[in-house]
Structure formats: C-alpha cells, structure tokens
Amino acid sequence: MRISALILASALSLSAWASNVYTVIANPGENASKSVRLNWHSDIDGEATHCLYTECSDIHWARAKKATPQQELCTAYDSMYSKTPQGENIHEKARFIRNTTELKNLKPGTRYMYRIGDNLKDGETRYFHTAPESGEWSAAIISDFHAYTPLPKRVKSAMAMLDTLEAKNGTHLDAILHVGDIIAWGGSYSFWRDLYTNDHFKNHLWAGVNGNHDNMDRTNKRNSSEFFRNANNNPLNGYDTQEGVCYHFTYGDVLFIMLNNEAMHTDEGLAAAQKWVKKVIKRNKKQYVVVMEHYQWFYGTNGKTSHYNRWQKLFDECGVDLAISGNNHVYARTNALYNGVETDGNSGTVYIQTTSSDNERGQELKEWTLNKDIIKTRWSEGSRTVSGILFKVNSDHIALTAYDRNGNAFDNVIVKAKKRK
C-alpha cells in the first residue's frame, strides 16, 4: 500500500509540473555558436519556473547553471475561435506567462541538455546543439505541415519525415529549419502547445519563418505576427515592428536571414524588408548567405515566376548564395542564377522551395511551360505530397539533398563557397 501511495504521489507531482511548463522551444541566438534563446510558457498561478542547463558530457549535471527568465503576461491567443482535438468548436481560454531567456557564453559545436520547471531536480530533459565556429554541420529543412489537433496524422507525417532525414544524416541533426505554415491557424494556441510536445522539438534547435497560416486565426480576420512571435524567442534584431519575427543569426559559416512575407504585402513593406536585408548582409561577413521566406519563388505547377522577381536583383547585388521558400507545396529548384542566367556556380543564387509534409496537400504538376531555362527540376507526389531536405555544410560547399517520405533521394544540388570581397 505504501509503495502504491508513493507511486501515486510521484505521478501527481509530475502531472502538476507538466501542467505548469509547456510550449518549450530552443531558438538560435544571434551568434548560435555561443548563444541559444529559450521560450516556454507557464501557468499564471503556477510556481516560478527556471532553466537548468549543462553540456551533455556532464551526465550528473555537476556543472549545471541556472537561468532565470524574463516573464510577461501573454494574451495574444486568448478567446480565439478554434477547435478541440475532438473537433468541437470552442473559444480557447489562453492566458499564461511567457518565459524567455538567452543562454550566453556557450561552448561552440557542443550538444547541451536542459530542464525547465519549478523544481530543477524534476522536469523532462531537452537538448540543443550550438553551432561550430566553422566547419561541418547539418540540418533538416521542412515546412507546410499545418499542425491541427483534430487531425494528428499531419504532424505525425512531418515528424516521420524528420526521422527519415536524421537517419539519412547518420547522426544527430544540429538544427531544424522550417519554412512556415507549421500551424493550421496560428491563433489557436492549443495547436502550438500540442506540436511542441513532439520529440524533434525537445531534441533540436529550431529556426523558422512566419507563414501565412501561422499568422492567421480560424476566421482569417485577426491575422497577427504576434502568434509566431510569442511561440518563439528569436533574436530581436529585425527592423521596426518586426523584431522577433524577421531576424538574422549566424550558424557556423552561414548567415541566415529570416523574412516575414506578411509584412511585405505593400511596396512600402517590401522596401523596408529589402533595406534591412542589405544592411544585415553588409554588417555580417560570413562564407555563405542564406535567405528564407515562406512564399514561393516560382509556381511549381507550371514554372511561372512568383517572388523570384521581387528579390532577384537584390540577391545578385548582395551575393546571396541560397534562397529557400515553401508555400506552393511543389518542389522546384534552380542552379545558381545571376542576372536571370544560369552560372557555373561560382556566382549567383540557388533558389529552392519545399513541398508540404502533412500528407494532406500538394499539387499535380501541369505542363511545364514557363522558366524552363532557369528552373532545373520540379517534383510532386500530387495532392498528398511529403518530402524534406537534408542540408549539410562544410568549408567548400553547402549540399542539399531532397528526400521523399520513403527516404529516396529525388534531387540534390551543391552551393559552392564563393570568394567574398
């Protein structure tokens, strides 16, 4: 009887802890070799929560450090119209404490573990990997899985794709890059909370962009980048009103610039983003420059130009090596392009866009009538498409290999390291 009582007490204790800490994610610091930014949420009336972290080699946590977060009341998702996992219509009550902290002076190229809770002896162990200062590292690229609790197979499909990419990598991925639309309705807080319980959110650093679905509520009338901002703790180095949504960071030899398409629907919005991108590239000298946004460069169904036209001249001017997008749910990829012409790879930008990964959407390829001179390849499984990209960096090149759900490679491209002025 006493043993049973102890087991019950332990279960109740863990349950209470779990209810007070949720929606935990590790995002990169501005220099991801030395800093990582954590975001988690906790109950308004719960105990104070903290972070305990150390290198994975410190198996007994003897050298662990404690980080106390900044806290603020978050009401961005409160009373939003949504659905329960059973498909019932509800207005969600979502008021909680948002906790953010930046772990600084970390060791480059090192796997860390961390726990978050009100009792630092308890709590689930999570992981992230700091960037090497230079040299080899790997990441997965995925997007458009539209997490939606009434249809949990969407997320299962995307997480299985990440499992496949990690298996192909042969070791732990150092990071996961997403290209947006990871949530069906960004205003539905329960979708974020449920998504972040998956192992790939517990075991990896995540960096991504705000997609149009992440930016919307169920009615598509209360669109806001606050949904994406409060579910992450990205660097606050974006331009005016875009801090924490547009941001940049370095991971090893790569400068990543993350854009928010929802702030660029007007000429003025586009101009502000482009001014910022120029400034960021000028101030950050790295071997590779990668720009990510949600909206597609081309319409993959027939090759028609889309956002490529908005950015091509600036990317040429600033020496962007790789441009990654999603949204269209059709894979499309160019070789390096400069001034609209394919090069030998010693100059120009490679444009690549991901498919969906939720096994519920995609598009059939139509007759390829446009941009056949610059689009190298297209790929789709039709209305139920799943794929992801393995992204591997070294001092000579970035290698990108696209895999289908079964682990079959269907495309690859090399982005050469170029001489920088």
Side-chain angles (χ1 to χ4, degrees):
M1 288 292 292
R2 184 180 179 186
I3 292 174
S4 298
L6 287 173
I7 292 173
L8 177 59
S10 175
L12 290 172
S13 175
L14 288 173
S15 176
W17 179 89
S19 68
N20 191 43
V21 176
Y22 37 88
T23 322
V24 183
I25 192 168
N27 301 122
E30 186 169 321
N31 177 352
S33 294
K34 298 180 179 180
S35 66
V36 165
R37 301 170 66 90
L38 302 180
N39 187 88
W40 70 91
H41 301 156
S42 57
D43 295 342
I44 293 174
D45 56 354
E47 297 291 330
T49 56
H50 307 279
C51 173
L52 188 72
Y53 66 100
T54 189
E55 297 174 28
C56 281
S57 58
D58 180 20
I59 58 175
H60 298 298
W61 297 74
R63 301 186 302 276
K65 297 179 180 179
K66 178 180 176 181
T68 300
Q70 293 184 327
Q71 296 185 308
E72 62 180 351
L73 175 65
C74 181
T75 60
Y77 314 87
D78 194 34
S79 300
M80 303 293 278
Y81 188 42
S82 187
K83 279 185 177 287
T84 67
Q86 295 74 35
E88 299 169 344
N89 296 324
I90 58 167
H91 283 85
E92 291 189 343
K93 294 181 179 180
R95 298 171 67 89
F96 49 80
I97 299 299
R98 182 187 179 214
N99 302 266
T100 58
T101 190
E102 182 174 8
L103 310 182
K104 300 180 180 180
N105 301 314
L106 301 176
K107 184 177 178 181
T110 303
R111 189 162 173 80
Y112 279 81
M113 55 187 179
Y114 67 102
R115 293 174 179 168
I116 295 171
D118 48 19
N119 183 342
L120 295 178
K121 294 181 181 180
D122 297 324
E124 190 167 17
T125 303
R126 301 168 185 266
Y127 304 88
F128 62 80
H129 204 291
T130 55
E133 292 187 315
S134 62
E136 298 184 359
W137 60 276
S138 62
I141 303 174
I142 197 165
S143 71
D144 295 270
F145 48 87
H146 309 89
Y148 178 64
T149 57
L151 297 174
K153 289 184 178 180
R154 290 184 180 182
V155 172
K156 288 182 181 179
S157 173
M159 298 302 107
M161 189 67 241
L162 290 174
D163 289 340
T164 297
L165 294 174
E166 191 154 56
K168 290 295 178 181
N169 193 43
T171 187
H172 286 296
L173 295 163
D174 294 306
I176 296 177
L177 306 170
H178 79 77
V179 203
D181 278 8
I182 65 172
I183 299 290
W185 308 319
S188 294
Y189 180 68
S190 59
F191 298 179
W192 293 101
R193 181 169 172 169
D194 179 75
L195 176 62
Y196 284 14
T197 63
N198 286 274
D199 284 346
H200 283 292
F201 284 88
K202 299 174 184 177
N203 297 333
H204 296 102
L205 181 96
W206 280 72
V209 301
N210 186 36
N212 57 299
H213 277 264
D214 308 317
N215 202 74
M216 69 169 61
D217 74 327
R218 180 179 176 180
T219 65
N220 202 19
K221 293 178 181 178
R222 293 177 61 184
N223 295 348
S224 173
S225 59
E226 290 300 307
F227 306 143
F228 177 84
R229 179 183 284 111
N230 283 283
N232 296 280
N233 183 22
N234 295 314
L236 302 177
N237 51 21
Y239 57 99
D240 186 37
T241 75
Q242 291 301 304
E243 296 88 349
V245 182
C246 284
Y247 60 101
H248 63 86
F249 68 97
T250 59
Y251 201 101
D253 290 328
V254 184
L255 167 64
F256 285 96
I257 300 176
M258 316 300 267
L259 298 173
N260 177 21
N261 286 123
E262 303 310 305
M264 296 187 284
H265 288 301
T266 65
D267 290 342
E268 293 78 11
L270 177 62
Q274 293 187 334
K275 180 180 179 180
W276 175 73
V277 169
K278 289 181 181 180
K279 184 184 298 183
V280 170
I281 294 174
K282 185 176 181 179
R283 291 180 176 177
N284 293 271
K285 304 300 182 183
K286 284 291 181 179
Q287 179 59 67
Y288 304 103
V289 178
V290 177
V291 176
M292 294 177 61
E293 72 165 33
H294 180 61
Y295 289 146
Q296 65 284 326
W297 309 119
F298 303 93
Y299 293 105
T301 50
N302 62 6
K304 182 181 177 182
T305 299
S306 184
H307 282 239
Y308 170 75
N309 275 353
R310 306 183 96 195
W311 287 97
Q312 172 255 318
K313 289 183 179 179
L314 184 145
F315 289 174
D316 286 354
E317 175 188 342
C318 295
V320 172
D321 297 283
L322 175 64
I324 304 171
S325 69
N327 186 61
N328 189 228
H329 307 157
V330 173
Y331 179 87
R333 194 262 302 167
T334 73
N335 283 334
L337 301 175
Y338 186 84
N339 198 26
V341 178
E342 187 174 310
T343 74
D344 62 1
N346 290 312
S347 62
T349 306
V350 171
Y351 296 81
I352 193 167
Q353 57 198 51
T354 58
T355 71
S356 49
S357 56
D358 60 13
N359 200 33
E360 282 193 12
R361 67 203 70 220
Q363 298 192 71
E364 298 286 349
L365 297 180
K366 300 178 182 178
E367 182 182 359
W368 192 352
T369 56
L370 299 167
N371 287 317
K372 295 189 72 172
D373 56 331
I374 60 173
I375 297 176
K376 189 67 177 179
T377 188
R378 305 178 303 155
W379 182 87
S380 174
E381 293 176 316
S383 60
R384 292 181 176 270
T385 294
V386 176
S387 75
I389 300 172
L390 184 59
F391 178 100
K392 304 185 78 170
V393 179
N394 63 35
S395 57
D396 296 321
H397 63 260
I398 299 174
L400 297 103
T401 305
Y403 291 93
D404 68 15
R405 71 181 80 212
N406 298 312
N408 300 310
F410 61 83
D411 189 40
N412 61 82
V413 64
I414 296 294
V415 180
K416 293 182 181 180
K418 304 177 181 69
K419 293 181 179 179
R420 294 287 177 189
K421 295 181 180 179

